[in-house]
Amino acid sequence: TMRLQAPQFQALFTPGLRSVAELFEKKNYELRIAGGAVRDLLSGVTPQDIDFATTATPAEMKEMFTAAGVRLINNKGEKHGTITARLHEQNFEITTLRVDVVTDGRHAEVEFTTDWHKDAERRDLTVNSMFLGLDGTLYDFFNGYEDLKNKKIRFVGKAAERIQEDYLRILRYFRFYGRIAEKPGDHEPNTLQAIKENAKGLAGISGERIWVELKKILLGNHVNHLVQLMYEVDIAQYIGLPLDGNFEEFARVTKNIQNLSPKPMTVLTSLFKGKDDVTNLDLRLKISKEEKNLGLFLVKHRQELTKGTGPEPLRPYQDFLMDSREANTISKILELLKYQGEEQLLKEMQEWTVPSFPVSGHDLRKMGVSSGKEIGTALQQLRDEWKKSGYHMDKEELLSCLKKL
């Protein structure tokens, strides 16, 4: 058996975890790290959050923690068998081993078990189905560690069965492929066949759940390959993507933004031909208002709003920003620059401080302009002069300019 000694693993043993481990040991309940955290540790990555699995039932855990005076955090996980305990300023989510009794493609009814193999069997992908004992022993029933080392993404057992338990697993397959696989196109044909035959099941999954997965796919590796594949295996239509995506633009833009940390919507918009595509996506996935506005902004301005020729390439973007009356225009412009692959201009725009117009109505009154209408007109004229100067003219220069006008 393999035993993990990595520094990332040793670092998990906080005072909190030591206390939890002691409680379980005293009661002879088994406790292991489960799922994604095991995958991360074996990849040499420090896990963001850690799930634990145990042979103890929720009732047994509650009794044990309460007797030890440990605070339990009330969350809705209990009917799925998850108890959250808080020790030493740290939360521990611990779930009883389960088997699925009934599944309907969206959620499962479970019953508790003490059989680790059975619990591993109901997990989605081999790389997510491993357990790690607190002594570092790896429990791996489906060759997940081999697959991880070979950068292979495979369903546990039969792909079609796993997918039919929860159709969202189709997108999880894509997401982990983009995270772990080394190169595009390295799929098992029968896996893709199972996905294709069950594609329609995604129609019954809520937009919110789909969007969470899709966003992660858009920010992962091989995104151009994976999105094309979504069309090939017929899932695109069920998850809000346009029937005729613009693949050429998508390929170009996904190359542009590789190292620019775009928002998911920025990547996805390159697949869209017009604003209807954004609206349809929103209808299916219920994206946030900010995401929808960004999509509409990019579709509208990606062609016209481009860098200036001559010594001031950033000027068109700056002028657009200064003329804009909308909130957070600057963040939309930054995303547009990423979309266009303008790395240098992006840096400059991020460093540019938006100047504030130095003249107020009060200044004009002091100079004897009295009627509101005249003040309005004068301010607009000065704003135009200020813009022409590249926002460099100061108050004095502008006011002397007013005398000329």
Side-chain angles (χ1 to χ4, degrees), residues 4 6 11 14 16 106 159 179 206-207 210 250-251 263-264 276 302 306 330 332-333 344 348 367-368 376-377 385:
L4 188 69
T14 55
R106 279 207 298 255
R179 198 157 142 185
S206 80
I210 288 174
F250 192 72
K263 292 181 175 168
D276 289 355
R302 59 189 169 186
T306 52
I330 183 134
K332 290 184 202 147
I333 286 179
Q344 188 49 45
E348 287 171 35
M367 290 181 67
T377 314
E385 289 301 315

Side-chain angles (χ1 to χ4, degrees), residues 105 124-125 153 155 159-160 162-177 187 191-203 205 209-210 213 217 226 229-230 233-236 238-239:
D124 55 2
L125 304 165
I153 300 300
F155 284 102
R162 289 296 82 76
I163 290 169
Q164 283 159 14
E165 287 160 1
D166 180 356
Y167 291 104
L168 191 68
R169 286 174 168 175
I170 291 176
L171 292 181
R172 285 175 62 81
Y173 173 85
F174 281 85
R175 162 153 72 100
F176 284 104
Y177 190 93
H187 306 271
T191 301
L192 295 185
Q193 191 55 35
I195 288 175
K196 196 168 186 169
E197 284 165 12
N198 289 283
K200 207 178 177 142
L202 278 166
I205 301 289
R209 287 182 76 204
I210 288 174
E213 291 296 328
I217 293 167
L226 290 172
L229 189 58
M230 285 178 187
V233 296
D234 294 337
I235 63 175
Y238 299 113
I239 58 174

Side-chain angles (χ1 to χ4, degrees), residues 359-375:
V359 178
S360 69
H362 183 67
D363 300 320
L364 298 185
R365 276 191 206 91
K366 275 203 286 200
M367 290 181 67
V369 186
S370 53
S371 89
K373 194 176 170 193
E374 279 176 28
I375 289 179

Side-chain angles (χ1 to χ4, degrees), residues 64-87:
M64 169 182 75
F65 283 129
T66 312
V70 171
R71 186 175 143 217
L72 295 178
I73 289 177
N74 191 12
N75 71 347
K76 299 184 184 69
E78 202 179 310
K79 62 174 186 294
H80 308 296
T82 304
I83 295 288
T84 306
R86 187 161 177 83
L87 290 91

Side-chain angles (χ1 to χ4, degrees), residues 177-336:
Y177 190 93
R179 198 157 142 185
I180 289 167
E182 202 147 32
K183 47 187 192 288
D186 191 13
H187 306 271
E188 296 191 343
N190 56 0
T191 301
L192 295 185
Q193 191 55 35
I195 288 175
K196 196 168 186 169
E197 284 165 12
N198 289 283
K200 207 178 177 142
L202 278 166
I205 301 289
S206 80
E208 290 87 343
R209 287 182 76 204
I210 288 174
W211 188 220
V212 168
E213 291 296 328
L214 189 53
K215 281 193 278 200
K216 291 176 179 166
I217 293 167
L218 290 165
L219 298 183
N221 300 323
H222 315 308
V223 57
N224 185 38
H225 159 69
L226 290 172
V227 168
Q228 296 228 17
L229 189 58
M230 285 178 187
Y231 280 85
E232 284 164 34
V233 296
D234 294 337
I235 63 175
Q237 54 178 323
Y238 299 113
I239 58 174
L241 300 185
L243 291 178
D244 55 340
N246 190 343
F247 294 129
E248 276 166 46
E249 178 79 347
F250 192 72
R252 198 176 64 77
V253 172
T254 46
K255 217 188 235 108
N256 279 350
I257 49 190
Q258 245 154 15
N259 306 311
L260 303 181
S261 323
K263 292 181 175 168
M265 200 61 203
T266 306
V267 184
L268 189 57
T269 304
S270 61
L271 192 65
F272 295 164
K273 292 183 176 165
K275 62 178 197 296
D276 289 355
D277 291 337
V278 180
T279 314
N280 292 334
L281 183 84
D282 182 38
L283 286 172
R284 174 65 182 101
L285 302 186
K286 304 182 180 55
I287 61 181
S288 74
K289 199 168 172 184
E290 185 199 335
E291 287 163 337
K292 184 179 181 179
N293 288 340
L294 174 60
L296 292 170
F297 176 87
L298 291 172
V299 164
K300 186 172 174 186
H301 297 291
R302 59 189 169 186
Q303 245 84 51
E304 287 76 73
L305 184 48
T306 52
K307 63 178 171 196
T309 50
E312 293 184 276
L314 203 56
R315 267 302 282 283
Y317 301 99
Q318 292 167 327
D319 288 350
F320 186 94
L321 180 64
M322 298 304 286
D323 293 341
S324 168
R325 293 279 171 264
E326 281 173 40
N328 61 18
T329 300
I330 183 134
S331 78
K332 290 184 202 147
I333 286 179
L334 293 175
E335 291 304 307
L336 176 63

